[in-house]
Amino acid sequence: MKVTKLSQLIIINALGPPYPIIPQLFISQIKHCHFITFSLFSSLIMARNDLKLLGAWPSPYVMRTRIALNIKSLAYDFLEEQFGTKSELLLKSNPIYKKIPVLIHDGKPICESLIIVQYIDENWTNFGHSILPSHPYDRAIARFWASYIDDKWFPALRGVAATQEENAKKAATETVIEGLVLLEDVFKNCSKGKKFFGGDKIGYLDIALGCFLGWLKVNEKLNNVNLLDESRTPGLYKWAEDFCGDSFVKDVMPETQRRIQDFKKTGASLL
């Protein structure tokens, strides 16, 4: 690579203080210059971010954050919390809920998984693709169904695993399946015939629901039940395959057997 005085100036500016930051307009003008690749320039910019993620690998909520960071190609330190204990840093960073995940950006904590995903998307608009829909109405719809997943659907899925009483387990299973049938229609409306809720690429609602696919598979195997059925919800069935196989996801989606082992060790707790 040929390094000119201008490219040296770019590198110096990308490294940050005590040097001034390059104006955004100038960044857009040098994207395609032959003397320095934009990917190199992006990596230099990313090196300026001090990102730490407090989490644990089994948690689907932590997975949300990791997928969003992958989409934006952001480097971060993954600080794993141990089951049954809460680190001093976690208690200091999230004193209200005392839960993971917590994203610490330049020393400032951001809590709650969906809020973190939105923060990542809004703070690094020039990296990766947009996670939230561009239109305000589409954003509102995505946020509504993400709340439904967290407040209604996933508690039912947890109920399938947590209860031993047969009638309660059956009721929870029916609620999970009814929710998936409902989300099948949501997928058709949001995807508009494309691979993901977000269209051609993974978006906000994909992350909100997709993070629970691992635990759904665990429930299927442990309870000998078919929750995500191809004949009943063909769109979601294919979507789940595409989501789990996506490059942004597959490295942070542990295999089902490992999840089963963890479940038997820790129970239904997701930290």
Side-chain angles (χ1 to χ4, degrees):
M1 179 183 68
K2 182 180 179 182
V3 180
T4 65
K5 289 184 178 180
L6 181 55
S7 63
Q8 290 173 349
L9 174 63
I10 292 172
I11 292 172
I12 288 173
N13 276 276
L15 293 175
Y19 305 100
I21 304 301
I22 297 177
Q24 184 59 43
L25 178 61
F26 183 51
I27 293 175
S28 64
Q29 290 174 340
I30 59 88
K31 275 187 179 182
H32 305 293
C33 291
H34 70 280
F35 49 78
I36 182 170
T37 65
F38 188 60
S39 60
L40 172 60
F41 182 74
S42 298
S43 67
L44 291 170
I45 291 291
M46 285 187 289
R48 300 185 64 253
N49 296 312
D50 180 17
L51 285 172
K52 297 180 177 65
L53 174 61
L54 306 184
W57 72 264
S59 169
Y61 303 108
V62 173
M63 184 179 296
R64 285 175 173 173
T65 302
R66 298 182 75 185
I67 293 170
L69 290 167
N70 284 349
I71 287 173
K72 298 297 183 176
S73 298
L74 295 171
Y76 62 96
D77 293 326
F78 187 37
L79 307 180
E80 287 208 63
E81 294 287 318
Q82 299 302 313
F83 175 74
T85 63
K86 298 181 188 294
S87 70
E88 183 178 342
L89 181 58
L90 173 61
L91 296 176
K92 178 182 177 182
S93 301
N94 189 0
I96 304 300
Y97 295 110
K98 303 178 177 64
K99 292 182 178 180
I100 56 175
V102 176
L103 182 70
I104 302 176
H105 180 208
D106 289 337
K108 293 178 283 190
I110 304 98
C111 307
E112 295 296 295
S113 61
L114 291 177
I115 293 175
I116 294 172
V117 170
Q118 294 177 56
Y119 176 82
I120 291 170
D121 193 42
E122 293 169 354
N123 197 64
W124 286 280
T125 56
N126 292 322
F127 296 92
H129 64 265
S130 295
I131 296 174
L132 280 95
S134 58
H135 194 281
Y137 177 78
D138 293 334
R139 285 186 178 221
I141 293 299
R143 287 174 173 141
F144 173 86
W145 287 111
S147 295
Y148 163 79
I149 290 165
D150 277 3
D151 298 340
K152 298 290 186 180
W153 183 80
F154 184 60
L157 181 62
R158 291 195 69 175
V160 175
T163 184
Q164 298 300 319
E165 202 276 318
E166 185 175 347
N167 289 334
K169 187 179 290 289
K170 181 179 179 181
T173 300
E174 290 175 354
T175 301
V176 170
I177 293 174
E178 289 171 0
L180 289 172
V181 172
L182 181 61
L183 289 167
E184 172 82 1
D185 289 334
V186 176
F187 174 71
K188 290 177 182 177
N189 292 332
C190 291
S191 67
K192 299 177 176 62
K194 297 181 179 180
K195 288 176 62 175
F196 301 110
F197 284 92
D200 291 320
K201 298 178 180 179
I202 287 175
Y204 183 74
L205 197 48
D206 296 287
I207 295 173
L209 179 60
C211 69
F212 296 123
L213 287 174
W215 288 103
L216 186 143
K217 292 178 181 178
V218 168
N219 274 280
E220 288 182 328
K221 286 189 174 293
L222 290 179
N223 295 286
N224 195 28
V225 62
N226 194 14
L227 298 173
L228 189 57
D229 185 83
E230 186 174 10
S231 62
R232 187 168 49 230
T233 52
L236 277 186
Y237 188 88
K238 180 62 169 61
W239 163 82
E241 289 184 343
D242 291 334
F243 180 85
C244 292
D246 192 89
S247 60
F248 297 127
V249 175
K250 58 185 179 181
D251 289 340
V252 298
M253 177 77 76
E255 60 182 21
T256 302
Q257 190 56 42
R258 185 184 179 192
R259 285 185 176 275
I260 290 175
Q261 293 172 354
D262 183 77
F263 178 85
K264 291 179 177 179
K265 177 181 177 182
T266 63
S269 174
L270 297 172
L271 291 174

